[in-house]
Amino acid sequence: MEARIIDGKKLSERLKEDIKARVEGLKQKGVIPGLAVILVGNDPASAVYVRNKERDCNQVGIQSRVVKLDEDTPQRELLEYIYKLNADPTIHGILVQLPLPPHMDPNAVINAIDPSKDVDGFHPVNMGRLVIGEECFEPCTPKGIIRLIQETGQPIAGKHAVVIGRSNIVGKPVALMLLRHNATVTICHSKTVNLKEITRQADILVVAVGKPNLIDGSFIKPGAIVIDVGINRVEDQLVGDVNFQDACRVAGWITPVPGGVGPMTRTMLLENTILAAEKKWAG
Ligand code: GUN
């Protein structure tokens, strides 16, 4: 068997066409959707992510505002910026790029964002709504993962979905979203015993660990949908958490790295920003 590739790049380009149309719709009502991105410090990877977000916004007609703060900025000053953006009617979405410098408390910073502008979906109000099944901003990577799974045409309901990783950004929310789609969900993590025994039962396997080549074909149920969330730099190459070549022999569908989850995360941020602007306009 040779797995079919779920092309996140192609799907995200298609979705961007819809987003462009929604931006046009908003502009005709006199609304220019605006996204503020705050970058604190000099982390090179974060700088690249923020530049990409700016580029994505330009591509679809969203106005982006990047706020760059020094590494040693006091947390109080960052909170002041957030409060100003909360009150700014031209800004519909606010994103604080993570990780933050060690002297800052990321929870306190996220809590300061107005939940109606929390396009990352990280605020406890949005997370809480996700848990109880209310309408909310869904975090971008999990939202993109669900779209990638749906792209296979296979139903999620009734399937056994196994998520490896329990981060607040990916593992926990994607597990909740799969549950919302009526999958039977198992969450595995670094203390899980007999990982392979569990993953081999997965109809849908989501791997979000950050360890290159952790998962090979021997972990995969034949025909499974495999979503690789890992982005690891190995000898100047980007690789996922899944050994792609080997997994392809067994899986039914698989996302590549790069070109799978990454582009979808970026596109879901645009979609959440439009959603925030549409909700604000509708009152
Ligand atoms: N750093 C890595 N991923 C993310 C993300 O999805 N949102 C934010 N704000 N920072 C990140």
Side-chain angles (χ1 to χ4, degrees), residues 125-135 176 180:
V125 164
N126 283 311
M127 282 286 181
R129 285 181 181 156
L130 184 64
V131 172
I132 60 180
E134 270 186 16
E135 196 184 303
L176 287 166
R180 207 166 171 174

Side-chain angles (χ1 to χ4, degrees), residues 225-236:
I225 300 169
V226 177
I227 307 291
D228 188 354
V229 190
I231 302 179
N232 309 289
R233 195 165 283 282
V234 176
E235 291 165 3
D236 254 16

Side-chain angles (χ1 to χ4, degrees), residues 6-149:
I6 317 172
D7 188 335
K9 196 153 184 272
K10 215 186 257 175
L11 176 57
S12 68
E13 288 307 321
R14 207 162 73 223
L15 293 172
K16 274 192 224 170
E17 292 308 313
D18 285 348
I19 291 169
K20 274 186 202 164
R22 286 167 73 182
V23 171
E24 269 319 302
L26 280 162
K27 286 186 176 166
Q28 274 164 21
K29 294 170 186 149
V31 180
I32 299 169
L35 173 68
V37 179
I38 305 178
L39 173 63
V40 188
N42 310 309
D43 179 57
S46 290
V48 172
Y49 292 142
V50 168
R51 239 191 344 265
N52 286 340
K53 283 167 188 157
E54 240 181 322
R55 195 175 306 150
D56 292 341
C57 284
N58 290 337
Q59 195 187 342
V60 299
I62 294 175
Q63 203 153 64
S64 67
R65 191 189 304 173
V66 176
V67 179
K68 287 187 181 151
L69 301 176
D70 290 339
E71 177 87 19
D72 58 0
T73 302
Q75 178 167 300
R76 183 179 22 84
E77 209 171 296
L78 170 58
L79 296 181
E80 291 298 331
Y81 273 104
I82 294 173
Y83 298 145
K84 269 194 209 131
L85 293 166
N86 282 346
D88 185 336
T90 67
I91 293 296
H92 303 93
I94 302 169
L95 179 145
V96 179
Q97 187 65 35
L98 301 175
L100 287 166
H103 67 280
M104 289 186 176
D105 171 6
N107 290 333
V109 172
I110 290 165
N111 286 358
I113 299 171
D114 179 338
S116 71
K117 298 190 178 188
D118 169 37
V119 286
D120 252 335
F122 293 168
H123 191 286
V125 164
N126 283 311
M127 282 286 181
R129 285 181 181 156
L130 184 64
V131 172
I132 60 180
E134 270 186 16
E135 196 184 303
C136 62
F137 286 109
E138 294 171 327
C140 301
T141 300
K143 188 171 175 167
I145 290 170
I146 298 292
R147 297 283 177 85
L148 286 163
I149 296 169

Side-chain angles (χ1 to χ4, degrees), residues 154-206:
Q154 299 297 301
I156 297 175
K159 295 288 167 61
H160 186 191
V162 173
V163 177
I164 316 180
R166 54 175 155 176
S167 71
N168 290 336
I169 294 183
V170 183
K172 282 183 210 164
V174 83
L176 287 166
M177 288 164 73
L178 286 161
L179 186 61
R180 207 166 171 174
H181 282 87
N182 297 313
T184 301
V185 182
T186 303
I187 305 176
C188 300
H189 47 78
S190 53
K191 302 289 187 292
T192 296
V193 179
N194 292 338
L195 178 66
K196 194 181 280 193
E197 239 169 63
I198 300 168
T199 59
R200 284 174 68 91
Q201 297 170 35
D203 304 304
I204 299 169
L205 179 62
V206 178

